[in-house]
Amino acid sequence: MTVQPHDHSPLSRALSSGPDVVETPRMTVIGTGYLGATHAICMAVLGFEVLGVDVDARKIEALTNGDVPFFEPGLKEKLDEALASGRLRFTQDFQEAADFGDVHFICVGTPQSKESGAADLTYVDLAFAELASRMTRKALIVGKSTVPIGTAERLTQLVRDVAQPGVEIEVAWNPEFLREGYAVQDTLHPDRLVFGVPSEWARQQLTAAFRPILDAGTPLIVADLKTAELVKVAANSFLATKISYINAMAEVCEATGADVNLLASALSYDTRIGGRFLKPGLGFGGGCLPKDIRAFTYRAEELGVGQAVAFLREVDAINNRRRRRTVDLVREMAGGSLQGVRVAALGAAFKPNSDDIRDAPALDVAQMMHEEGAEVVVYDPEALDNARKAYPQLTFEDSMGTALRGANVVVLLTEWEKFRKADPDLLGALVADKRMVDGRHALDADDYRAKGWEYRALGRPAHSRTVTLASDVSDELQLQSA
Ligand code: UDX
């Protein structure tokens, strides 16, 4: 693997591109979900001609009309800009895509299989086959989806098997690290690019496709296909482990009366550890971290190195225990039983600035309290539509005030700015009992207590004080400065 400080002088450009390399490639993006729509839009904004492809007619229609089919701050403006430039179009037609593209990005989902923890590669396989079988000239197919190690090699063979005679197709891998809520920023200004390439031509062609981002000085790691696949799951496993580590410490704090927030703060000033992803609380959810650690464990076991990542099962278990423990804390505050207790659940999305409810800790907690007989009322600024469809048995309110009215316990489950900034006095005027369980360690405990609330958070003694972590750059602040 080589780390390449990108040299963008005209001479290097002339030297680095062989005769077959298209300097300003036309791109297709197959799969216009979260990752694909963002990638297609941002590439068009950067100056490339882009064709987005999806089998879902509703998504194509929405995007063509300038509507982003999910909540992502700033993306609608970029979609408008891209459509106005005339460089971005959408289609359902794979033949059109095959004819159009010099570089094809595959961004379809790899959900968790129902029967095992493995990644379901049905959509990836289909996308590669549908496209490759229709291509009539040399081009590069670039996988961006998160896949088990060895998938790119298998797909290289699949592509060869289905390609028309004489058509040369290469497969590269370019893992994507974008965070929901920061998708535009992370796509236009990634902290690094990773190219898994099988040849010098593929490296040059992919470099041309990312020229504006590389010219901005973004570090580039050029690797083999397998390493590139591994980078993604290794990164997400590390992040998940860091979160579960501090949540494991929270469990120890609960048993001893120590304070996990003070502990995290003290750890965070060690620059080797750092404060980011060290926030204790309800733990991780979403479409990536939980499924990626499970798929990685499954694949490692298949490869005979299951022991090397056996700790990831523990990381998963610690994370799931947080949900149960949050319910325990709400029950404790309610006096020992949730039967007939009115609970205002603030948050449904798996994290703020997103309407994504996949594996959302918040809804899991709401569901468990509901099963124990609580009258749970859920409010979320953006995720209500998705939550209503997935949890028809729960009660949802369209306003925070209505959700809070008459509550015996309030539980903060997703740390939206609206909740963090809410005035404890105003909230207090609505509820029946001023009891707050801060599932995300996101509120000012001192302020709540001063205003007459009983405040509790997992891993903190009943009278702990509020502290912050070093380099705990709040996501909201990051968003504002982007
Ligand atoms: C993640 C990775 O960050 C991203 O690089 C990858 O490409 C996709 O998966 P995302 O799923 O958008 O991105 O969420 P992320 O911001 O990583 O948060 C994951 C979960 O961890 C959330 O549920 C969040 O609430 C939780 N979390 C995060 C904590 O519980 N504590 C923390 O300190 C940080």
Side-chain angles (χ1 to χ4, degrees), residues 180-230:
E180 297 192 12
Y182 306 90
V184 173
Q185 187 192 344
D186 287 353
T187 305
L188 292 175
H189 310 285
D191 43 21
R192 81 290 211 190
L193 285 173
V194 177
F195 292 174
V197 283
S199 71
E200 179 54 18
W201 175 79
R203 184 192 70 77
Q204 290 180 11
Q205 188 57 79
L206 205 47
T207 300
F210 282 96
R211 182 83 67 199
I213 295 176
L214 290 167
D215 281 356
T218 305
L220 167 64
I221 291 119
V222 179
D224 55 279
L225 290 169
K226 285 179 179 144
T227 307
E229 290 166 329
L230 183 55

Side-chain angles (χ1 to χ4, degrees), residues 176-180 232 236 239 243 277-279 283-285 288-289 350-351 415 440:
E176 179 59 60
F177 306 103
L178 69 81
R179 298 160 301 165
E180 297 192 12
K232 177 61 188 279
N236 276 353
L239 294 172
I243 299 167
F277 275 69
L278 203 65
K279 192 102 186 131
F284 58 82
C288 290
L289 262 49
F350 84 102
K351 68 171 192 179
E415 68 277 32
R440 292 292 184 179

